Amino acid sequence: MASDSPLAPRPSPLPTIFIVDDDLSFRQAIERLVRTGGYAVQTFASATEFLQFARPDEPGCVLLDLDMPGLSGLELQSALAREENRLPIIFLTGKGNISTTVQAMRAGAEDFLTKPTRKQVLFAAIERALARDSQDREQRVRRRELQARFDALTPREREVLTHVLSGQLNKQIAASLNTAERTIKMHRANLMTKLQVESVAELAQLAQTAGVLPAASSQ
């Protein structure tokens, strides 16, 4: 398959701007422009080619055409939304309309620009996308750290946790689990220590942030 992109990712300390556009001349022109902003660039001739690329988990965003052979820009946006490490998307197209713009923005696009666009407008959109990417990365790191704390709980402690988050008292939990209240107190103290919280309110917030036990934390 002909392509002007490398076959393997090359780690870079710079944010990487992934350009996905089937127009070779435009792709090359926008690559030159983006590089003047001090960014690393990877280019792709189709959405399928981009999906097949082994992207490193590095800072970056996607400059994405809307109308391309094969998968459209909106279809690629939908595919990327299912990935854990989502990259912010800036649509850059010559065939946009109100309907597709609304659809793209509702699906989480950072911006929707029309070709040709001014350098200042494009770079401002890229900076917003990279700021969003940085924030998303911090949140993912935080969730992984919290998940590690929950993973350290024993099966019994997780059972007790579910009951605590549902608002039950130690006596009620003991009755539900057919065990002594002092045993529940011990499990509760252990899980609070492992999760590094001091109150049920903190515990509920932690569970919600980590994305664990959603049913219990919503009660």
Side-chain angles (χ1 to χ4, degrees):
M1 176 176 58
S3 169
D4 53 322
S5 63
L7 298 178
R10 294 180 298 180
S12 168
L14 301 173
T16 300
I17 312 303
F18 298 98
I19 300 171
V20 186
D21 196 300
D22 63 303
D23 185 329
L24 175 60
S25 61
F26 178 81
R27 194 165 66 245
Q28 292 175 335
I30 203 70
E31 176 184 5
R32 289 193 295 269
L33 177 62
V34 171
R35 287 191 185 279
T36 67
Y39 306 107
V41 179
Q42 298 282 353
T43 64
F44 304 87
S46 70
T48 300
E49 182 182 330
F50 178 72
L51 287 174
Q52 292 173 343
F53 179 69
R55 297 181 301 282
D57 185 11
E58 297 176 346
C61 67
V62 182
L63 291 183
L64 179 59
D65 191 17
L66 182 67
D67 188 15
M68 297 178 289
L71 291 177
S72 70
L74 291 176
E75 289 171 327
L76 176 58
Q77 181 186 29
S78 178
L80 293 179
R82 295 189 289 270
E83 295 188 357
E84 179 184 3
N85 300 325
R86 304 177 185 178
L87 287 169
I89 293 173
I90 300 169
F91 279 94
L92 184 56
T93 179
K95 299 182 179 180
N97 55 47
I98 294 177
S99 176
T100 53
T101 300
V102 170
Q103 184 177 351
M105 298 303 287
R106 283 182 175 174
E110 182 61 38
D111 215 329
F112 198 104
L113 307 178
T114 56
K115 301 175 183 176
T117 188
R118 291 184 293 118
K119 176 180 178 179
Q120 295 87 341
V121 173
L122 176 61
F123 280 13
I126 289 175
E127 284 303 305
R128 287 193 299 272
L130 294 179
R132 175 178 169 183
D133 180 57
S134 177
Q135 183 179 47
D136 289 346
R137 287 173 184 280
E138 290 177 0
Q139 292 175 348
R140 288 197 296 271
V141 169
R142 173 64 173 164
R143 283 196 297 270
R144 285 194 288 266
E145 291 174 347
L146 297 181
Q147 183 64 60
R149 295 188 202 175
F150 283 94
D151 289 344
L153 299 180
T154 65
R156 193 55 151 178
E157 287 166 352
R158 292 186 70 88
E159 280 187 297
V160 172
L161 172 63
T162 301
H163 288 280
V164 170
L165 290 175
S166 72
Q168 289 187 327
L169 301 175
N170 290 341
K171 183 177 181 179
Q172 295 170 312
I173 300 172
S176 297
L177 299 181
N178 193 29
T179 190
E181 185 175 352
R182 64 178 179 275
T183 302
I184 297 302
K185 289 182 179 179
M186 178 189 68
H187 287 312
R188 185 165 179 162
N190 287 342
L191 72 88
M192 297 287 274
T193 298
K194 289 180 179 179
L195 297 178
Q196 302 174 31
V197 295
E198 297 181 355
S199 69
V200 174
E202 284 185 81
L203 186 61
Q205 180 61 49
L206 199 72
Q208 184 177 22
T209 302
V212 300
L213 303 176
S217 62
S218 65
Q219 295 181 12

